[in-house]
Short mmCIF file of all heavy atoms in Angstrom, two decimals:
data_model
loop_
_atom_site.label_atom_id
_atom_site.label_comp_id
_atom_site.label_asym_id
_atom_site.label_seq_id
_atom_site.Cartn_x
_atom_site.Cartn_y
_atom_site.Cartn_z
N HIS A 1 0.83 -1.16 0.01
CA HIS A 1 -0.01 -0.03 0.00
C HIS A 1 0.87 1.26 0.00
O HIS A 1 1.59 1.51 0.94
CB HIS A 1 -0.94 0.01 1.23
CG HIS A 1 -1.85 -1.19 1.27
ND1 HIS A 1 -3.00 -1.17 0.51
CD2 HIS A 1 -1.86 -2.33 1.93
CE1 HIS A 1 -3.68 -2.32 0.73
NE2 HIS A 1 -2.98 -3.01 1.55
N GLY A 2 0.82 2.04 -1.05
CA GLY A 2 1.62 3.21 -1.23
C GLY A 2 1.20 4.30 -0.21
O GLY A 2 -0.05 4.49 -0.04
N HIS A 3 2.11 4.89 0.48
CA HIS A 3 1.84 6.05 1.36
C HIS A 3 3.01 6.94 1.47
O HIS A 3 4.14 6.53 1.11
CB HIS A 3 1.42 5.56 2.77
CG HIS A 3 2.44 4.70 3.44
ND1 HIS A 3 3.51 5.20 4.15
CD2 HIS A 3 2.56 3.35 3.56
CE1 HIS A 3 4.24 4.29 4.69
NE2 HIS A 3 3.72 3.11 4.30
N PRO A 4 2.84 8.19 1.88
CA PRO A 4 3.94 9.16 1.76
C PRO A 4 5.15 8.88 2.67
O PRO A 4 6.26 9.38 2.37
CB PRO A 4 3.25 10.50 2.26
CG PRO A 4 1.82 10.32 1.96
CD PRO A 4 1.61 8.79 2.15
N GLN A 5 4.99 7.99 3.67
CA GLN A 5 6.06 7.75 4.58
C GLN A 5 6.77 6.36 4.18
O GLN A 5 7.61 5.96 4.89
CB GLN A 5 5.62 7.65 5.99
CG GLN A 5 5.29 8.99 6.61
CD GLN A 5 3.94 9.48 6.18
OE1 GLN A 5 2.96 8.70 6.02
NE2 GLN A 5 3.77 10.78 5.86
N MET A 6 6.46 5.76 3.08
CA MET A 6 6.97 4.52 2.80
C MET A 6 8.49 4.56 2.42
O MET A 6 8.94 5.35 1.55
CB MET A 6 6.23 3.94 1.50
CG MET A 6 6.50 2.48 1.29
SD MET A 6 5.49 1.83 -0.10
CE MET A 6 5.43 0.12 0.22
N THR A 7 9.27 3.74 3.14
CA THR A 7 10.74 3.74 2.90
C THR A 7 11.09 2.55 2.08
O THR A 7 10.33 1.63 1.85
CB THR A 7 11.47 3.69 4.24
OG1 THR A 7 11.17 2.40 4.88
CG2 THR A 7 11.03 4.81 5.15
N VAL A 8 12.39 2.56 1.68
CA VAL A 8 12.94 1.45 0.92
C VAL A 8 12.85 0.16 1.72
O VAL A 8 12.50 -0.92 1.30
CB VAL A 8 14.38 1.69 0.43
CG1 VAL A 8 14.96 0.47 -0.20
CG2 VAL A 8 14.36 2.88 -0.51
N SER A 9 13.11 0.21 3.05
CA SER A 9 13.00 -0.88 3.97
C SER A 9 11.68 -1.37 4.08
O SER A 9 11.38 -2.64 4.17
CB SER A 9 13.59 -0.51 5.36
OG SER A 9 14.92 -0.25 5.29
N ASP A 10 10.64 -0.46 4.20
CA ASP A 10 9.24 -0.85 4.20
C ASP A 10 8.90 -1.72 2.98
O ASP A 10 8.13 -2.70 3.03
CB ASP A 10 8.29 0.34 4.29
CG ASP A 10 8.44 1.12 5.54
OD1 ASP A 10 8.84 0.48 6.57
OD2 ASP A 10 8.15 2.31 5.54
N LEU A 11 9.44 -1.34 1.84
CA LEU A 11 9.17 -1.99 0.55
C LEU A 11 9.85 -3.28 0.34
O LEU A 11 9.24 -4.32 0.00
CB LEU A 11 9.52 -1.07 -0.58
CG LEU A 11 9.10 -1.56 -2.00
CD1 LEU A 11 7.60 -1.53 -2.16
CD2 LEU A 11 9.76 -0.68 -3.02
N LEU A 12 11.17 -3.32 0.65
CA LEU A 12 12.00 -4.47 0.35
C LEU A 12 12.38 -5.31 1.49
O LEU A 12 12.42 -6.58 1.42
CB LEU A 12 13.26 -3.96 -0.30
CG LEU A 12 13.03 -3.08 -1.63
CD1 LEU A 12 14.44 -2.72 -2.18
CD2 LEU A 12 12.25 -3.84 -2.58
N GLY A 13 12.72 -4.76 2.69
CA GLY A 13 13.14 -5.55 3.85
C GLY A 13 14.20 -4.83 4.71
O GLY A 13 14.67 -3.75 4.29
N ASN A 14 14.44 -5.42 5.81
CA ASN A 14 15.31 -4.80 6.83
C ASN A 14 16.55 -5.65 7.11
O ASN A 14 16.39 -6.90 7.11
CB ASN A 14 14.58 -4.52 8.13
CG ASN A 14 13.53 -3.46 7.98
OD1 ASN A 14 13.88 -2.27 7.81
ND2 ASN A 14 12.26 -3.77 8.16
N PRO A 15 17.69 -5.02 7.35
CA PRO A 15 18.81 -5.88 7.85
C PRO A 15 18.45 -6.37 9.28
O PRO A 15 17.82 -5.70 10.05
CB PRO A 15 19.96 -4.89 7.91
CG PRO A 15 19.33 -3.53 7.93
CD PRO A 15 18.01 -3.63 7.20
N LEU A 16 18.88 -7.57 9.61
CA LEU A 16 18.61 -8.17 10.86
C LEU A 16 19.31 -7.37 11.96
O LEU A 16 20.53 -7.09 11.91
CB LEU A 16 19.08 -9.58 10.91
CG LEU A 16 18.28 -10.52 9.98
CD1 LEU A 16 18.93 -11.91 9.97
CD2 LEU A 16 16.90 -10.62 10.42
N PRO A 17 18.63 -6.99 13.05
CA PRO A 17 19.23 -6.14 14.09
C PRO A 17 20.41 -6.71 14.77
O PRO A 17 21.38 -6.05 15.04
CB PRO A 17 18.07 -5.98 15.12
CG PRO A 17 16.78 -6.20 14.31
CD PRO A 17 17.16 -7.23 13.32
N ALA A 18 20.39 -8.03 15.03
CA ALA A 18 21.54 -8.68 15.62
C ALA A 18 22.83 -8.59 14.73
O ALA A 18 23.92 -8.37 15.24
CB ALA A 18 21.28 -10.17 15.99
N ASP A 19 22.59 -8.69 13.47
CA ASP A 19 23.71 -8.64 12.57
C ASP A 19 24.30 -7.18 12.52
O ASP A 19 25.52 -6.95 12.37
CB ASP A 19 23.33 -9.05 11.10
CG ASP A 19 23.06 -10.55 11.03
OD1 ASP A 19 23.30 -11.27 12.03
OD2 ASP A 19 22.71 -11.02 9.92
N LEU A 20 23.40 -6.19 12.63
CA LEU A 20 23.86 -4.83 12.59
C LEU A 20 24.78 -4.55 13.79
O LEU A 20 25.71 -3.76 13.70
CB LEU A 20 22.65 -3.87 12.64
CG LEU A 20 21.84 -3.71 11.33
CD1 LEU A 20 20.65 -2.87 11.55
CD2 LEU A 20 22.76 -3.09 10.27
N ILE A 21 24.47 -5.18 14.89
CA ILE A 21 25.29 -4.97 16.12
C ILE A 21 26.58 -5.78 16.13
O ILE A 21 27.63 -5.29 16.45
CB ILE A 21 24.43 -5.37 17.34
CG1 ILE A 21 23.19 -4.46 17.51
CG2 ILE A 21 25.30 -5.29 18.64
CD1 ILE A 21 22.24 -4.86 18.59
N ASN A 22 26.51 -7.00 15.69
CA ASN A 22 27.65 -7.93 15.75
C ASN A 22 28.52 -8.03 14.53
O ASN A 22 29.66 -8.48 14.71
CB ASN A 22 27.14 -9.34 16.19
CG ASN A 22 26.41 -9.31 17.50
OD1 ASN A 22 26.77 -8.59 18.45
ND2 ASN A 22 25.33 -10.11 17.58
N ALA A 23 28.00 -7.63 13.40
CA ALA A 23 28.76 -7.84 12.18
C ALA A 23 29.98 -6.98 12.12
O ALA A 23 29.99 -5.83 12.60
CB ALA A 23 27.90 -7.58 10.98
N ARG A 24 31.08 -7.51 11.56
CA ARG A 24 32.29 -6.78 11.40
C ARG A 24 32.43 -6.17 10.00
O ARG A 24 33.35 -5.38 9.83
CB ARG A 24 33.49 -7.64 11.79
CG ARG A 24 33.64 -8.06 13.16
CD ARG A 24 34.63 -9.15 13.41
NE ARG A 24 34.21 -10.43 12.76
CZ ARG A 24 34.86 -11.56 12.85
NH1 ARG A 24 36.06 -11.63 13.45
NH2 ARG A 24 34.46 -12.63 12.21
N SER A 25 31.57 -6.58 9.09
CA SER A 25 31.60 -6.07 7.75
C SER A 25 30.22 -6.08 7.16
O SER A 25 29.34 -6.85 7.64
CB SER A 25 32.58 -6.86 6.87
OG SER A 25 32.13 -8.14 6.70
N LEU A 26 29.98 -5.40 6.08
CA LEU A 26 28.65 -5.41 5.47
C LEU A 26 28.29 -6.77 4.96
O LEU A 26 27.13 -7.21 4.92
CB LEU A 26 28.63 -4.41 4.20
CG LEU A 26 28.46 -2.97 4.59
CD1 LEU A 26 28.57 -2.06 3.39
CD2 LEU A 26 27.16 -2.69 5.38
N GLU A 27 29.31 -7.56 4.53
CA GLU A 27 29.08 -8.98 4.03
C GLU A 27 28.41 -9.86 5.00
O GLU A 27 27.73 -10.82 4.70
CB GLU A 27 30.30 -9.60 3.50
CG GLU A 27 30.88 -8.93 2.17
CD GLU A 27 31.48 -7.52 2.37
OE1 GLU A 27 31.78 -7.19 3.60
OE2 GLU A 27 31.53 -6.80 1.36
N GLU A 28 28.57 -9.53 6.34
CA GLU A 28 28.05 -10.44 7.34
C GLU A 28 26.68 -10.02 7.79
O GLU A 28 26.02 -10.72 8.58
CB GLU A 28 28.94 -10.34 8.61
CG GLU A 28 30.32 -10.89 8.33
CD GLU A 28 31.19 -10.84 9.66
OE1 GLU A 28 30.65 -10.30 10.63
OE2 GLU A 28 32.40 -11.26 9.60
N ILE A 29 26.15 -8.97 7.19
CA ILE A 29 24.75 -8.51 7.56
C ILE A 29 23.74 -9.16 6.63
O ILE A 29 23.85 -9.14 5.39
CB ILE A 29 24.64 -6.94 7.45
CG1 ILE A 29 25.62 -6.28 8.37
CG2 ILE A 29 23.23 -6.51 7.72
CD1 ILE A 29 25.61 -4.79 8.23
N ARG A 30 22.84 -9.90 7.23
CA ARG A 30 21.74 -10.53 6.52
C ARG A 30 20.52 -9.60 6.46
O ARG A 30 20.35 -8.75 7.32
CB ARG A 30 21.35 -11.86 7.18
CG ARG A 30 22.47 -12.91 7.06
CD ARG A 30 22.15 -14.10 8.00
NE ARG A 30 22.11 -13.70 9.36
CZ ARG A 30 21.71 -14.50 10.40
NH1 ARG A 30 21.30 -15.73 10.12
NH2 ARG A 30 21.76 -14.03 11.64
N VAL A 31 19.65 -9.86 5.48
CA VAL A 31 18.49 -9.02 5.29
C VAL A 31 17.23 -9.88 5.37
O VAL A 31 17.23 -10.93 4.73
CB VAL A 31 18.53 -8.27 3.90
CG1 VAL A 31 17.25 -7.47 3.68
CG2 VAL A 31 19.77 -7.30 3.79
N ALA A 32 16.24 -9.47 6.15
CA ALA A 32 14.94 -10.10 6.20
C ALA A 32 14.03 -9.50 5.05
O ALA A 32 13.50 -8.43 5.23
CB ALA A 32 14.35 -9.88 7.55
N TRP A 33 14.06 -10.22 3.92
CA TRP A 33 13.31 -9.74 2.80
C TRP A 33 11.84 -9.86 2.95
O TRP A 33 11.33 -10.78 3.62
CB TRP A 33 13.75 -10.54 1.50
CG TRP A 33 15.21 -10.40 1.29
CD1 TRP A 33 16.17 -11.30 1.50
CD2 TRP A 33 15.88 -9.29 0.62
NE1 TRP A 33 17.37 -10.90 1.09
CE2 TRP A 33 17.26 -9.61 0.61
CE3 TRP A 33 15.47 -8.04 0.18
CZ2 TRP A 33 18.21 -8.73 0.08
CZ3 TRP A 33 16.42 -7.13 -0.41
CH2 TRP A 33 17.78 -7.50 -0.45
N ARG A 34 11.09 -8.94 2.37
CA ARG A 34 9.60 -8.88 2.43
C ARG A 34 9.06 -10.05 1.65
O ARG A 34 9.50 -10.32 0.52
CB ARG A 34 9.06 -7.63 1.90
CG ARG A 34 9.50 -6.36 2.66
CD ARG A 34 9.04 -6.30 4.05
NE ARG A 34 9.44 -5.05 4.71
CZ ARG A 34 9.59 -4.92 6.03
NH1 ARG A 34 9.44 -5.97 6.81
NH2 ARG A 34 9.92 -3.79 6.47
N PRO A 35 8.09 -10.84 2.18
CA PRO A 35 7.59 -12.00 1.44
C PRO A 35 6.99 -11.74 0.13
O PRO A 35 6.95 -12.56 -0.82
CB PRO A 35 6.55 -12.55 2.47
CG PRO A 35 6.90 -12.04 3.81
CD PRO A 35 7.55 -10.71 3.54
N TRP A 36 6.46 -10.47 -0.11
CA TRP A 36 5.73 -10.21 -1.35
C TRP A 36 6.68 -10.29 -2.51
O TRP A 36 6.22 -10.50 -3.68
CB TRP A 36 5.15 -8.81 -1.28
CG TRP A 36 6.08 -7.64 -1.41
CD1 TRP A 36 6.86 -7.09 -0.50
CD2 TRP A 36 6.32 -6.97 -2.70
NE1 TRP A 36 7.59 -6.04 -1.04
CE2 TRP A 36 7.29 -5.99 -2.37
CE3 TRP A 36 5.92 -7.04 -3.96
CZ2 TRP A 36 7.83 -5.12 -3.30
CZ3 TRP A 36 6.37 -6.12 -4.93
CH2 TRP A 36 7.35 -5.17 -4.56
N LEU A 37 7.98 -10.13 -2.30
CA LEU A 37 8.97 -10.19 -3.39
C LEU A 37 8.94 -11.51 -4.14
O LEU A 37 9.39 -11.57 -5.36
CB LEU A 37 10.38 -9.84 -2.88
CG LEU A 37 10.56 -8.40 -2.36
CD1 LEU A 37 11.94 -8.36 -1.69
CD2 LEU A 37 10.48 -7.42 -3.46
N ASP A 38 8.50 -12.58 -3.41
CA ASP A 38 8.48 -13.90 -4.12
C ASP A 38 7.16 -14.38 -4.63
O ASP A 38 6.96 -15.48 -5.06
CB ASP A 38 9.00 -14.99 -3.03
CG ASP A 38 10.49 -14.70 -2.66
OD1 ASP A 38 11.29 -14.42 -3.59
OD2 ASP A 38 10.78 -14.79 -1.47
N GLN A 39 6.20 -13.46 -4.58
CA GLN A 39 4.83 -13.79 -5.11
C GLN A 39 4.75 -13.84 -6.60
O GLN A 39 5.41 -13.02 -7.24
CB GLN A 39 3.83 -12.73 -4.52
CG GLN A 39 3.60 -12.75 -2.98
CD GLN A 39 3.21 -14.10 -2.53
OE1 GLN A 39 2.18 -14.67 -2.92
NE2 GLN A 39 3.91 -14.60 -1.47
N PRO A 40 3.91 -14.78 -7.09
CA PRO A 40 3.85 -14.84 -8.61
C PRO A 40 2.98 -13.67 -9.14
O PRO A 40 3.04 -13.40 -10.37
CB PRO A 40 3.10 -16.13 -8.84
CG PRO A 40 2.35 -16.41 -7.55
CD PRO A 40 3.17 -15.85 -6.46
N VAL A 41 2.17 -13.08 -8.29
CA VAL A 41 1.40 -11.84 -8.69
C VAL A 41 1.71 -10.74 -7.68
O VAL A 41 1.51 -11.03 -6.48
CB VAL A 41 -0.08 -12.13 -8.74
CG1 VAL A 41 -0.88 -10.90 -8.97
CG2 VAL A 41 -0.45 -13.07 -9.82
N LYS A 42 2.19 -9.69 -8.13
CA LYS A 42 2.62 -8.57 -7.22
C LYS A 42 1.71 -7.42 -7.44
O LYS A 42 1.43 -6.94 -8.49
CB LYS A 42 4.07 -8.15 -7.56
CG LYS A 42 5.10 -9.22 -7.27
CD LYS A 42 6.52 -8.74 -7.52
CE LYS A 42 7.56 -9.77 -6.97
NZ LYS A 42 7.50 -11.04 -7.73
N ILE A 43 1.15 -6.83 -6.35
CA ILE A 43 0.12 -5.83 -6.30
C ILE A 43 0.68 -4.60 -5.54
O ILE A 43 1.12 -4.77 -4.40
CB ILE A 43 -1.13 -6.30 -5.69
CG1 ILE A 43 -1.64 -7.53 -6.39
CG2 ILE A 43 -2.22 -5.21 -5.79
CD1 ILE A 43 -2.82 -8.24 -5.77
N VAL A 44 0.69 -3.47 -6.18
CA VAL A 44 1.12 -2.18 -5.52
C VAL A 44 -0.09 -1.28 -5.59
O VAL A 44 -0.41 -0.75 -6.65
CB VAL A 44 2.40 -1.55 -6.12
CG1 VAL A 44 2.80 -0.38 -5.38
CG2 VAL A 44 3.53 -2.65 -6.24
N ASP A 45 -0.74 -0.99 -4.46
CA ASP A 45 -1.90 -0.11 -4.38
C ASP A 45 -1.47 1.31 -4.26
O ASP A 45 -0.60 1.64 -3.45
CB ASP A 45 -2.73 -0.59 -3.16
CG ASP A 45 -4.14 -0.16 -3.33
OD1 ASP A 45 -4.68 0.06 -4.46
OD2 ASP A 45 -4.80 0.01 -2.37
N GLU A 46 -2.07 2.22 -5.04
CA GLU A 46 -1.80 3.65 -5.05
C GLU A 46 -0.26 3.89 -5.16
O GLU A 46 0.32 4.50 -4.32
CB GLU A 46 -2.40 4.28 -3.81
CG GLU A 46 -3.87 4.12 -3.74
CD GLU A 46 -4.50 5.05 -2.66
OE1 GLU A 46 -4.48 6.21 -2.84
OE2 GLU A 46 -4.93 4.49 -1.66
#
């Protein structure tokens, strides 16, 4: 659902908080991707 405060993280996913704290490099940070990215039909409202 499109809205004026929608961020890239809201749309795609967030880095895992534990990895942000403990990772020594960007390569060690994992991302929790949004489930909609794997859907066979993608809907973006407004």
